[in-house]
């Protein structure tokens, strides 16, 4: 029995790992941003990189203390933020040196760098590509200059197109962008302008998000209290934002992008391999401020934990206590994360792993199918377009019986 468990652990430990590298500094804080990020000095960035590289080098010992299995082989890396393209060449070199000391990056690993248009210095771009960065994700959000300015973005549509051209000339063959539906001043007509610009941009990947209105952003707080700052009175309604999302789902496939997840569209061969790890519950390790992780536990099951979202606490190594994902939680995650993918879930695979837990969800899926929110056919469950628009409600109804038993 001991030998068998050891083999199971070895196989789980050998699943390729994804690394998320948090760089929480920006030149400007956008009004809609609800991430743990902000404007930082050169000195703050330098100090942070010291803490980050120390964390990378101690990752294996930290995982052992938590009782987590940390794979050695890494096949995806994602630099997020913040604006990680602001790193200096020597800082890129330091982070990659620490990664290569602690992990084995496979040849052809997908290595993504988030960037703001106009905020990738030539020397930094060269350094990033020399170290292996082969994918850039640009925070465009809108191609309408007034909308960008309203939320604190400093680039114009012209800057975006210039950035696309510069990246292509540099040899970057995988460039993506983010768009946000529901921004202040945005209308159905102006949204069409942004979608038309995507068609003309020759990028490989597009993510479309609906504006989040919550207490974690300055714009969200202003909208919730009915204030006038940050163009809050001109935020599109939920109904208009939903209509914009539907337009994107119709227009982007016509432009050659296949929708493979609720918010993500890629040309053939350009699906985000790193983000798929989140939806497929593959192991990933978050490094840096407010970075989240999910690793297999040595004793079975999975562990989720996160670093502090406070810079001073992070520098001291503060992180949340690991939470064991038990069978019920793993089932919930498998359902709502799997249904984010347009391929959906194979019911037989779900039953093979979770057995009788599937029964209540299968009944709820049939009810949602009758309401036009899910497609249940050929042994697979998928969200319909209507279901995608109200996905959180769909997930809540599917898992109501499971949650009630916990």
């Amino acid at each position: 029995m001991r030998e068998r468990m050891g083999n199971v652990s070895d196989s789980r430990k050998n699943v390729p790992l994804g690394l998320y590298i948090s760089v929480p500094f920006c030149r400007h804080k956008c009004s809609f941003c609800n991430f743990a990020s902000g404007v930082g000095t050169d000195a703050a960035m330098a100090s942070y990189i010291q803490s980050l590289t120390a964390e990378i080098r101690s990752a294996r010992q930290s995982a052992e203390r938590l009782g987590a299995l940390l794979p050695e082989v890494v096949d995806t890396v994602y630099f997020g933020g913040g604006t990680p393209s602001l790193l200096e060449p020597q800082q890129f070199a330091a982070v990659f040196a620490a990664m290569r000391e602690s992990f084995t990056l496979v040849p052809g690993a997908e290595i993504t760098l988030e960037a703001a248009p106009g905020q990738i210095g030539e020397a930094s771009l060269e350094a990033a590509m020399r170290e292996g960065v082969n994918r850039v994700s640009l925070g465009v959000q809108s191609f309408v200059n007034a909308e960008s300015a309203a939320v604190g973005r400093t680039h114009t549509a012209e800057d975006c197109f210039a950035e696309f051209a510069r990246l292509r000339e540099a040899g970057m063959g995988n460039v993506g962008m983010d768009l946000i539906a529901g921004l202040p001043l945005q209308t159905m007509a102006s949204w069409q302008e942004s979608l038309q610009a995507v068609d003309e941009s020759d990028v490989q990947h597009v993510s479309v998000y609906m504006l989040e209105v919550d207490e974690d952003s300055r714009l969200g707080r202003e909208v919730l209290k009915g204030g006038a700052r940050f163009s809050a009175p001109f935020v599109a309604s939920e109904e208009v934002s939903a209509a914009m999302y539907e337009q994107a789902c119709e227009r982007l496939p016509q432009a050659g992008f296949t929708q493979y997840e609720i918010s993500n569209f890629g040309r053939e061969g350009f699906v985000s391999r790193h983000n798929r790890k989140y939806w497929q519950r593959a192991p990933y390790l978050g490094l840096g401020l407010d970075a989240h992780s999910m690793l297999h536990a040595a004793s079975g099951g999975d562990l989720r934990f996160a670093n502090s979202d406070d810079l001073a606490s992070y520098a001291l190594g503060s992180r949340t206590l690991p939470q064991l994902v038990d069978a019920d939680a793993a089932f919930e995650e498998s359902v709502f994360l799997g249904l984010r993918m347009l391929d959906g879930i194979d019911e037989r695979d779900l039953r093979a792993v979770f057995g009788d837990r599937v029964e209540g969800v299968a009944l709820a899926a049939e009810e949602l199918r009758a309401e036009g929110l899910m497609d249940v056919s050929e042994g697979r469950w998928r969200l319909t377009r209507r279901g995608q628009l109200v996905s959180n409600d769909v997930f809540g109804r599917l898992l109501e019986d499971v949650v009630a038993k916990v």
Side-chain angles (χ1 to χ4, degrees), residues 129-163:
M129 293 181 67
R130 185 167 58 248
E131 294 291 351
V133 170
N134 51 21
R135 184 174 184 270
V136 170
S137 180
L138 290 167
V140 172
Q141 319 311 0
S142 171
F143 283 96
V144 178
N145 295 344
E147 295 169 9
S148 297
V151 294
R153 306 297 284 176
T154 60
H155 61 261
T156 64
E158 293 75 15
D159 295 331
C160 295
F161 279 99
E163 198 72 280

Side-chain angles (χ1 to χ4, degrees), residues 42-343:
D42 291 345
M45 178 79 91
S47 176
Y48 179 79
I49 294 301
Q50 287 186 339
S51 298
L52 176 63
T53 53
E55 183 191 7
I56 294 171
R57 290 190 171 95
S58 63
R60 201 156 300 282
Q61 293 89 341
S62 298
E64 289 176 1
R65 286 196 298 271
L66 294 173
L69 299 172
L70 185 62
E72 179 180 336
V73 173
V74 169
D75 64 353
T76 68
V77 180
Y78 195 103
F79 284 83
T83 310
S85 59
L86 297 178
L87 290 176
E88 296 292 339
Q90 66 273 18
Q91 293 171 332
F92 274 116
V95 173
F96 273 95
M99 278 196 290
R100 290 192 172 101
E101 287 178 25
S102 305
F103 301 96
T104 299
L105 270 65
V106 302
E110 178 192 85
I111 305 180
T112 302
L113 176 67
E114 281 189 349
Q119 296 186 28
I120 317 176
E122 287 291 344
S124 291
L125 178 59
E126 291 176 6
M129 293 181 67
R130 185 167 58 248
E131 294 291 351
V133 170
N134 51 21
R135 184 174 184 270
V136 170
S137 180
L138 290 167
V140 172
Q141 319 311 0
S142 171
F143 283 96
V144 178
N145 295 344
E147 295 169 9
S148 297
V151 294
R153 306 297 284 176
T154 60
H155 61 261
T156 64
E158 293 75 15
D159 295 331
C160 295
F161 279 99
E163 198 72 280
F164 299 147
R166 186 168 75 100
L167 290 169
R168 283 195 299 271
E169 291 170 5
M172 184 63 65
N174 191 348
V175 178
M177 71 169 81
D178 294 348
L179 292 178
I180 296 180
L183 291 172
L185 307 180
Q186 204 169 50
T187 65
M188 294 297 290
S190 70
W191 180 244
Q192 289 286 355
E193 290 183 45
S194 285
L195 294 179
Q196 180 61 35
V198 172
D199 198 9
E200 300 167 358
S201 67
D202 195 31
V203 299
Q204 286 71 45
H205 192 276
V206 183
S207 298
V208 178
Y209 302 107
M210 294 170 68
L211 180 70
E212 293 184 15
V213 176
D214 57 36
E215 289 284 350
D216 292 330
S217 72
R218 292 175 296 162
L219 175 58
R221 290 191 292 272
E222 199 69 12
V223 170
L224 291 173
K225 74 177 185 180
R229 295 188 305 160
F230 312 120
S231 300
F234 306 104
V235 168
S237 68
E238 289 185 7
E239 292 77 15
V240 171
S241 296
M244 291 175 181
Y245 171 80
E246 287 188 279
Q247 279 192 345
C249 292
E250 294 172 4
R251 285 281 304 273
L252 291 174
Q254 295 171 9
F257 297 92
T258 298
Q259 184 178 13
Y260 65 94
E261 191 266 347
I262 287 179
S263 300
N264 287 277
F265 306 75
R267 298 194 189 276
E268 186 175 356
F270 290 97
V271 167
S272 170
R273 287 158 47 194
H274 181 84
N275 287 341
R276 283 182 73 100
K277 289 183 182 291
Y278 302 144
W279 306 315
Q280 295 176 340
R281 302 188 71 251
Y284 58 89
L285 178 66
L287 299 153
L289 187 77
D290 198 34
H292 291 241
S293 304
M294 191 197 82
L295 298 175
H296 296 317
S299 58
D302 303 303
L303 291 173
R304 290 192 179 275
F305 53 95
N307 288 340
S308 172
D309 61 1
D310 174 76
L311 268 175
S313 298
Y314 166 70
L316 296 174
S318 176
R319 62 164 54 92
T320 60
L321 291 174
Q323 293 184 328
L324 182 65
V325 181
D326 62 19
D328 285 327
F331 177 58
E332 290 182 50
E333 290 181 5
S334 296
V335 171
F336 72 76
L337 292 174
L339 282 174
R340 289 193 63 90
M341 304 290 291
L342 269 288
D343 285 345

